[in-house]
């Protein structure tokens, strides 16, 4: 079962759309590396992130997030309002989940070489002391919260901690940013700059994915638990297989990508990606500017009123669907077949409006209805 | 009763020995040797195969002293988590001192099986030189040797029956090691060199296969092309276990047609593996033997998609063991469930080895398999997500699990539907599977799951835990409840000193305990080491911190402790400190 590409997809059933890129609070760019600010014209800024930019951004956004966090998140675990999901949940796919999660897990000793041990251990104890106070909250939620928040200060105000811990389940990076304790900030910053660019490389520059893949992607040592022999063998094997199978040459595979309403087309090299996720991220980056302008020009009052949801990922969520034209000239929904098969048969890509794609993707329409 | 006792005493030793010959399991033999002194004496002289689960638990000299007539030795070195880069390469596990001692001890060694050990060419040369009857070498996940060492084995071991190299890191010196088998060598029964990267002389290989009429198992490496495989199969239709090399060819050629014919003649093949380099179009050559297969390993073939996998597997009605990649998908697993009713062991590995992407495999696949394959007793399952409901259903469908290993891509992912921890699901598994010996858990887990494990997993011998639990209580439940626990490995869990020190004697009943990135402090480890002299408590610290700067309250990065009769080892590298 290959996950539908631009659909609201289930890493879990309850999970919210893949990307949200609200201007203010959401620090997660839609390419999923947690700590870049996304704004209107956002993506280009994100793509050239450097450490200082990231840490500044995070500080700014941290404040925004705090506020929002307090506003929206108070409540028992299990009650999740849609806005929260859309804003803070990056995680409709396990892939992002993992990426966000693991940088936080370094708050555990030994995983993150960036974190000072002393800071972590001190904070860890502080946090668990705080946690003892919240009897009404289920421990299960805090299990994750505890791990997420090892860098929390010991003085975290009560609603904050509750909220933050609840967040842990959904949105890894966001959670760390929602911490307002001053004590923890230095450690946050310390870890953020070094991590974000690494992830940034992966997520934001889709084209660099393959080359930087092994180094940047493995965030937690030894997870998933696969023998190194197997890792090494499979890595070389996939490369060999591609060449061997008589696919259209080992070189680049550029295909045209069009989008409804965009004034011009783009071209992408399918060989730069190895999963639908990567392709999707790259396309979003490429076409985001078109959707924003579109928003701006047309009067779409309902969208504007959503505020931070304005940039809820349009490609993923309610409005757009990615389709491709195959060798036979048929238009198909992207995501049904294994990636390798897809590359072989894809001739063109088209980002269709959801309403046009009714025949192709009934699920998309249903899901978007459920969200709104 | 009195007279019965005295009757037993009158059994001549030869009779006892003959009876003991029927005991092959080392556990049975260990039990027998505890009965009385005379049984101990008879048993130790008659033991031929010795199993040492931790090469640092005993010294070769003491082993030889107790079992002077042993002929086969199995040794394991590094802890299991070394497989996942958690243990530095030069931590230890050298086989050299063992071989030197065995040579000095005048043992007539015929068989050596090593796992996770460091093997040098010199060690292999010693083997080849000093043990004229050497018959069997099995190396699993070892490293440190090159094809030169293999050449020594090939040249000198005149009666070699088995050379089995599984997933080792071998430096390939491109020195034609395979050609070193002399023309007089006709004794090979099993040859596996899949893990080697370099080329072998194909003509030599074909001649070797032709003259070894007893060859039952042959697993070649990637460098052996399809047409060579065909020629080999033509010479060895008696093969029972085949590992293909490169399985890529233009299907419209004569070579390929010949392969199909040769394959059809191999009516004894029941185990098939390899396919490191495979083109889906060539797979149909294998269809004729699918119906006879009991074991199939396609886990190194990421280029075969679900549809093609399924086309192959649906013919494998006798399959008992299946290893695949997650490219098979839930739907593919559904086909497995309906085609492979004899399935006992299933392993679904990640095709995306960095665990970044999605997998096509979820709890649905697992449930389908459990429903369709009632004989399932061993599973290793990498998946995107899991639910308690699914695990409960699996527990109900398959109460016979001996090994249950689940790994979610995100190590703390909750139940995908209810967002609850997966405690109840794993609880159902341990409650239902009364014979469970090995368990790996994953996902969002609280202390509750350990309560279940301690209460129900009474036969559990090995438990692997990562990113789970809330407090020391979790670990305590396991240590108190799992009476047969042998190996416990824990990473990134909030278990600390209270759990570690609660029952120190427990560790002498276990082989080893690994704890990394937990809450255990240096002081507690020191205490444990001081109170338990028959344990080696090793701290692995890779950050070059000077020992003096260790303060008792500091948390320990990696701790590995194991019972031993021979005290701290002398070959520990600088970053390993035995307390």
């Amino acid at each position: 079962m290959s996950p539908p590409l631009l659909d609201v997809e289930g890493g879990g059933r309850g999970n919210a759309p893949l990307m949200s890129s609200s201007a203010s609070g959401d620090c997660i760019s839609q390419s999923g590396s947690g700590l870049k600010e996304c704004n209107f014209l956002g993506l280009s800024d994100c793509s050239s992130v450097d450490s200082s930019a990231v840490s500044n951004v995070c500080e700014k956004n941290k404040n925004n997030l705090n506020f929002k966090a307090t506003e929206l998140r108070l409540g028992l675990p299990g009650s999740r309002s849609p806005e929260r999901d859309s804003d803070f949940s990056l995680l409709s796919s396990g892939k992002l989940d993992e990426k966000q999660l693991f940088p936080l897990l370094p708050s555990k000793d030994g995983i993150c070489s960036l974190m000072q041990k002393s800071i972590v251990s001190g904070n860890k104890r502080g946090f668990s002391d705080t946690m003892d106070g919240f009897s009404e909250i289920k421990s299960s939620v805090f299990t994750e919260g505890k791990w997420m928040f090892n860098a929390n200060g010991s003085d975290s105000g009560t609603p904050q901690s509750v909220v933050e811990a609840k967040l842990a389940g959904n949105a890894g990076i966001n959670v760390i940013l929602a911490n307002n304790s001053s004590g923890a900030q230095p450690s946050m910053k310390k870890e953020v700059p070094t991590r974000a660019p690494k992830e940034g490389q992966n997520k934001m520059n889709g084209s660099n994915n393959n080359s930087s893949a092994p180094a940047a992607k493995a965030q937690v040592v030894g997870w998933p638990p696969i023998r190194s022999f197997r890792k090494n063998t499979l890595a070389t094997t996939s490369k060999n297989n591609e060449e061997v199978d008589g696919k259209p040459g080992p070189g680049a595979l550029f295909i045209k990508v069009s989008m409804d309403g965009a004034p011009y087309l783009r071209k992408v090299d399918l060989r730069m990606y190895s999963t639908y996720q990567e392709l999707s991220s790259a396309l979003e980056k490429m076409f985001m500017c078109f959707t924003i302008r579109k928003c701006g020009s047309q009067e779409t009052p309902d969208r504007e009123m959503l505020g931070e949801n304005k940039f809820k990922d349009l490609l993923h969520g309610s409005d757009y669907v990615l389709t491709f034209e195959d060798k036979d000239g048929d238009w198909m929904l992207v995501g049904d077949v294994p990636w390798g098969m897809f590359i072989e048969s894809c001739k063109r890509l088209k980002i269709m409006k959801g309403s046009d794609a009714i025949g192709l993707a009934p699920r998309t329409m249903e899901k978007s209805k459920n969200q709104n | 009763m009195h007279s019965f006792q005295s009757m037993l005493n009158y059994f001549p030793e030869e009779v006892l020995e003959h009876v003991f010959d029927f005991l092959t399991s080392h556990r049975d033999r260990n039990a027998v040797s505890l009965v009385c002194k005379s049984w101990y004496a008879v048993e130790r002289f008659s033991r031929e195969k010795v199993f040492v689960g931790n090469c640092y638990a005993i010294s070769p000299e003491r082993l030889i002293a107790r079992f002077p007539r042993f002929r086969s030795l199995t040794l394991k070195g590094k802890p299991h988590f070394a497989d996942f880069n958690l243990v530095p390469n030069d931590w230890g596990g050298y086989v050299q001192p063992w071989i030197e001692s065995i040579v000095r001890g005048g043992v007539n060694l015929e068989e050596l099986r090593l796992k996770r050990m460091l093997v040098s060419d010199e060690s292999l040369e010693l083997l080849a030189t000093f043990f004229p009857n050497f018959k069997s070498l099995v190396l699993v996940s070892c490293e440190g040797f090159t094809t030169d060492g293999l050449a020594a084995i090939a040249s000198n071991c005149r009666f070699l029956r088995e050379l089995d190299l599984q997933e080792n890191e071998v430096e390939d010196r491109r020195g034609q090691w395979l050609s070193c088998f002399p023309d007089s060598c006709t004794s090979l029964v099993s040859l596996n060199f899949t893990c080697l990267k370099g080329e072998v002389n194909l003509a030599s290989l074909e001649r070797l296969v032709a003259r070894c009429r007893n060859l039952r198992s042959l697993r070649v490496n990637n460098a052996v092309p399809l047409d060579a495989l065909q020629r080999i199969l033509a010479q060895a239709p008696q093969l029972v276990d085949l590992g293909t090399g490169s399985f890529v060819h233009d299907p419209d050629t004569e070579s390929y047609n010949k392969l199909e014919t040769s394959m059809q003649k191999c009516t004894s093949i029941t185990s098939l593996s390899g396919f490191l380099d495979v083109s889906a179009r060539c797979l149909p050559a294998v269809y004729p033997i699918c119906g006879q297969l009991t074991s199939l390993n396609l886990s190194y073939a990421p280029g075969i998609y679900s549809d093609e996998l399924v086309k192959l597997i649906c013919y494998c009605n006798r399959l008992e063991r299946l290893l695949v990649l997650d490219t098979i998908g839930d739907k593919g697993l559904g086909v497995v469930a309906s085609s492979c009713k004899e399935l006992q062991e299933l392993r679904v590995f990640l095709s995306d080895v960095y665990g970044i992407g999605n997998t096509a495999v979820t709890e649905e696949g697992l449930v389908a398999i459990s429903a369709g394959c009632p004989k399932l007793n061993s599973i290793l399952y990498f998946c995107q997500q899991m639910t308690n409901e699914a695990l409960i259903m699996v527990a109900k469908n398959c109460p016979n699990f001996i090994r249950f290993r689940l790994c979610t891509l995100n190590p703390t992912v909750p139940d995908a539907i209810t967002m609850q921890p997966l405690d109840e699901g794993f609880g159902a598994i341990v409650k239902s599977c009364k014979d469970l010996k090995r368990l790996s858990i994953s996902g969002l887990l609280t202390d509750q799951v350990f309560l279940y494990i301690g209460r129900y997993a009474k036969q559990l011998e090995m438990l692997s835990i990562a990113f789970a639990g809330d407090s020391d209580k979790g670990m305590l439940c396991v240590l108190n409840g799992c009476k047969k626990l042998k190996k416990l490995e824990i990473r990134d869990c909030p278990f600390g000193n209270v759990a570690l020190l609660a029952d120190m004697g427990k560790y002498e009943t276990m082989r080893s305990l690994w704890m990394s990135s937990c809450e255990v402090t240096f002081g507690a480890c020191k205490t444990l080491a001081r109170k338990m002299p028959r344990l080696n408590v090793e701290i692995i610290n890779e950050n070059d911190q000077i020992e003096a700067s260790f303060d008792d309250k500091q948390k320990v990065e990696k701790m590995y402790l194991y019972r031993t009769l021979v005290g701290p080892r002398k070959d520990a590298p600088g970053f390993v400190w035995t307390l």
Side-chain angles (χ1 to χ4, degrees), chain A residues 1-4 9-15 77-78 80 91-99 101-102 105-106 108-111 113 117 120-122 124-125 138-148 150 166 168-170 202-203 213-242 244-247 274-278 336-342 344, chain B residues 82-86 115-116 140-141 167-169 194-195 197 222 248 275-281 297 299-308 323 325 327-331 349-364 382 384-385 387 407-414 416-417 419-421 441-442 444-446 466-471 491-494 516-519 521 541 543 545 553-557:
Chain A
M1 139 186 136
S2 36
E9 68 161 336
R13 263 138 252 192
N15 286 353
R80 290 155 48 192
L91 308 171
S92 61
S93 73
K95 174 180 169 184
L96 285 176
D97 209 357
E98 188 177 331
K99 281 205 193 65
L101 240 49
F102 291 157
L105 293 174
K108 306 283 302 99
D109 294 345
I111 298 181
S113 51
K117 275 190 184 179
V120 173
S121 40
K124 203 183 288 187
R125 294 201 174 109
K138 281 200 183 143
S139 63
S140 60
V141 173
F142 286 117
T143 308
E144 205 165 349
K146 199 186 294 188
W147 291 125
M148 290 300 129
N150 285 327
K166 180 61 188 78
N170 306 340
N202 272 340
K203 303 315 276 170
K217 284 185 180 180
Q219 297 290 350
V220 175
V221 177
W223 198 272
I226 302 179
R227 280 191 183 167
S228 343
F229 179 85
R230 173 171 281 278
K231 272 195 202 173
N232 298 337
T233 309
L234 278 181
T236 24
T237 311
S238 350
K239 259 190 272 168
N240 291 340
N241 278 345
E242 276 178 20
V244 149
D245 246 349
K247 290 206 177 110
S274 51
T275 64
Y276 287 119
Q277 204 71 7
E278 291 166 27
D336 288 331
V337 296
W339 176 257
M341 211 186 271
F342 165 67
E344 262 186 301
Chain B
D83 282 349
F84 316 129
N85 291 338
L86 288 176
K115 186 166 186 182
R116 277 188 222 107
V140 180
S141 296
E167 302 198 344
N168 303 290
E169 301 280 357
T194 311
C195 61
K197 307 276 191 307
N222 235 2
V248 177
F275 301 107
L276 263 75
D277 196 9
V278 56
S279 162
R281 295 169 302 175
N297 183 350
S299 67
Y300 282 101
I304 307 187
Y305 310 124
S306 181
D307 295 347
E308 292 134 347
L323 283 68
L325 290 173
T327 43
I328 193 169
D330 283 338
K331 265 213 303 231
F349 292 97
L350 285 180
S351 53
D352 172 10
V353 292
Y354 297 101
I356 301 301
N358 295 331
T359 77
V361 149
T362 70
E363 76 276 10
E364 290 179 15
F382 282 88
Q384 177 82 7
Q385 62 188 48
T387 65
C407 178
T408 52
L409 271 193
N410 171 353
T412 53
V413 72
I417 301 179
M419 303 313 275
Q420 292 300 303
I441 55 182
S442 160
L444 181 63
L445 295 162
T446 72
F467 303 100
D470 307 313
S471 73
R491 64 165 291 183
D492 296 277
C493 295
S516 60
S517 306
C518 295
E519 305 282 316
T521 68
N541 190 340
N543 291 340
Q545 287 182 15
K553 294 216 184 58
Q554 199 165 339
K555 281 199 219 146
V556 159
E557 195 185 306

Side-chain angles (χ1 to χ4, degrees), chain B residues 202-453:
Chain B
L202 296 177
S204 296
L205 177 60
E206 288 167 38
R207 282 199 306 271
L208 181 65
V209 169
R211 63 179 183 269
C212 294
R213 301 317 308 158
N214 291 327
L215 193 68
R216 290 284 174 274
S217 166
L218 177 66
R219 298 190 185 189
V220 300
N221 72 352
N222 235 2
V224 175
L226 195 127
D227 49 336
L229 184 70
Q230 181 273 316
R231 289 192 293 274
I232 289 171
L233 287 180
Q235 300 275 17
Q238 79 281 7
L239 280 180
V240 167
D241 169 25
L242 174 66
T244 68
S246 166
F247 213 73
V248 177
H249 213 280
D250 186 346
D252 295 326
T253 60
E254 195 188 328
S255 268
Y256 185 81
N257 293 335
K258 278 202 210 157
L259 175 72
E260 286 184 307
T261 319
S262 300
M263 193 70 82
Q264 269 172 340
K265 297 218 176 89
C266 294
T267 53
S268 304
I269 294 184
T270 54
S271 166
L272 188 61
S273 62
F275 301 107
L276 263 75
D277 196 9
V278 56
S279 162
R281 295 169 302 175
C282 295
L283 279 182
V286 159
Y287 290 175
I289 58 168
C290 286
Q292 56 198 65
L293 290 180
T294 56
S295 168
L296 178 60
N297 183 350
L298 292 165
S299 67
Y300 282 101
I304 307 187
Y305 310 124
S306 181
D307 295 347
E308 292 134 347
L309 280 175
V310 151
K311 262 194 261 176
L312 186 74
I313 294 175
C314 69
Y315 293 126
C316 301
N317 304 115
R318 295 211 198 139
L319 213 56
E320 293 170 13
R321 189 167 181 262
L322 176 62
L323 283 68
V324 283
L325 290 173
D326 57 6
T327 43
I328 193 169
D330 283 338
K331 265 213 303 231
L333 288 175
V335 175
V336 173
S338 50
S339 315
C340 308
K341 295 301 182 188
E342 303 296 315
L343 197 68
Q344 295 176 23
E345 179 175 357
L346 174 67
R347 298 194 188 196
V348 180
F349 292 97
L350 285 180
S351 53
D352 172 10
V353 292
Y354 297 101
I356 301 301
N358 295 331
T359 77
V361 149
T362 70
E363 76 276 10
E364 290 179 15
L366 183 60
V367 171
I369 291 281
S370 72
C373 308
K375 298 191 183 176
L376 197 65
N377 62 38
S378 170
I379 188 151
L380 170 63
Y381 199 76
F382 282 88
C383 58
Q384 177 82 7
Q385 62 188 48
M386 189 45 60
T387 65
N388 284 310
E389 188 186 345
L391 284 174
I392 292 170
M393 232 183 301
V394 169
K396 208 167 69 158
N397 291 335
C398 293
N400 299 321
F401 276 117
I402 299 177
R403 281 181 292 274
F404 190 90
R405 294 158 69 189
L406 191 82
C407 178
T408 52
L409 271 193
N410 171 353
T412 53
V413 72
D415 180 314
I417 301 179
T418 66
M419 303 313 275
Q420 292 300 303
L422 290 175
D423 300 333
E424 297 304 313
F426 282 108
I429 294 282
V430 293
K431 200 163 169 194
S432 160
C433 304
K434 307 221 187 308
D435 294 326
L436 194 67
K437 292 219 176 84
R438 183 169 180 183
L439 178 64
S440 300
I441 55 182
S442 160
L444 181 63
L445 295 162
T446 72
D447 280 347
Q448 182 64 33
V449 73
F450 299 111
L451 215 84
Y452 289 136
I453 292 175

